[in-house]
């Protein structure tokens, strides 16, 4: 025959075990975070690809819901306007250096991709969205992508700014979802 425990003693033991388990969990989590687990080693950080950060913040508005937060220094707006029914374009330039940006209606990526003429195209992404990059038929470099459902975008730069194309495209912002 098993003797009965006085009331309340079983709950006390369970509470003590719960406190011990919580303490053990906290200790393990603290040990993991303080150990440096998952951090890059200093020698591995040297092998990492550097991320280029623009030297200064620039706000170049293309439309009310599409703007660039980076443009190469020395460029000024030299053109732009609305595209019917719901789109816009802008040109920023100085001498033979220029950046053109356009946002326009696009049903889906497949149809928008067929509409865009990109020479020597290679598949890539812009901020996680499908894109193609290559040469523009009239000169310069071009990247085309589906900015959001129903809206396509492209950026064209002069050959002298071809190294800046990806940084400019990565700087695109909109009021929602970015």
């Amino acid at each position: 025959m098993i003797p009965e425990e006085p009331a309340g003693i079983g709950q006390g033991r369970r509470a003590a075990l719960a406190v011990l388990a919580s303490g053990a969990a906290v200790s393990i989590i603290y040990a993991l975070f303080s150990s440096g687990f998952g951090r890059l080693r200093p020698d591995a950080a040297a092998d990492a690809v550097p991320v280029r950060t623009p030297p200064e913040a620039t706000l170049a508005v293309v439309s009310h819901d599409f703007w660039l937060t980076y443009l190469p220094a020395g460029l000024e707006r030299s053109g732009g306007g609305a595209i019917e029914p719901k789109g816009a374009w802008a040109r920023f330039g100085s001498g033979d250096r220029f950046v053109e940006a356009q946002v326009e209606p696009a049903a889906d990526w497949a149809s928008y991709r067929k509409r865009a003429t990109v020479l020597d195209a290679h598949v890539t992404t812009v901020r996680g969205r499908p894109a193609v990059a290559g040469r523009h038929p009239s000169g310069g470099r071009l990247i085309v992508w589906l900015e959001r459902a129903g809206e396509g975008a492209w950026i064209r730069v002069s050959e002298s700014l071809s190294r800046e194309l990806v940084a400019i495209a990565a700087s695109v912002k909109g009021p929602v979802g970015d």
Side-chain angles (χ1 to χ4, degrees):
M1 179 172 242
I2 299 174
E4 290 186 25
E5 294 182 358
I9 289 183
Q11 289 179 350
R13 287 183 184 160
R14 280 186 244 140
L17 283 174
V19 167
L20 286 173
S22 295
V26 167
S27 298
I28 291 170
I29 291 170
Y30 177 79
L32 279 173
F33 280 104
S34 64
S35 72
F37 178 75
R39 292 188 195 139
L40 286 177
R41 298 179 325 272
D43 59 333
D47 296 336
V49 177
V51 175
R52 185 180 179 284
T53 55
E56 58 187 58
T58 304
L59 186 62
V61 177
V62 177
S63 76
H64 71 284
D65 65 349
F66 186 88
W67 57 86
L68 308 173
T69 58
Y70 169 69
L71 276 178
L75 299 181
E76 295 181 14
R77 189 168 184 131
S78 59
I83 299 172
E84 296 300 327
K86 178 192 155 198
W89 69 277
R91 181 179 172 99
F92 306 90
S94 174
D96 65 341
R97 300 170 57 220
F98 68 85
V99 172
E100 294 176 344
Q102 182 167 315
V103 59
E104 58 193 344
D108 58 33
W109 174 238
S111 63
Y112 188 60
R113 170 61 185 100
K114 288 178 188 172
R115 211 168 70 195
T117 304
V118 181
L119 306 175
D120 300 329
H122 64 273
V123 176
T124 187
T125 61
V126 173
R127 296 178 354 272
R129 297 168 176 104
V132 292
R135 293 182 306 112
H136 190 275
S138 299
R141 297 291 180 181
L142 175 74
I143 190 163
V144 178
W145 73 95
L146 192 65
E147 176 59 22
R148 56 181 67 91
E151 191 172 73
W154 60 259
I155 295 177
R156 176 183 170 211
V157 298
S158 59
E159 286 294 336
S160 60
L161 294 175
S162 62
R163 292 180 182 249
E164 304 291 331
L165 178 59
V166 173
I168 295 167
S171 80
V172 169
K173 297 292 180 205
V176 178
D178 283 343

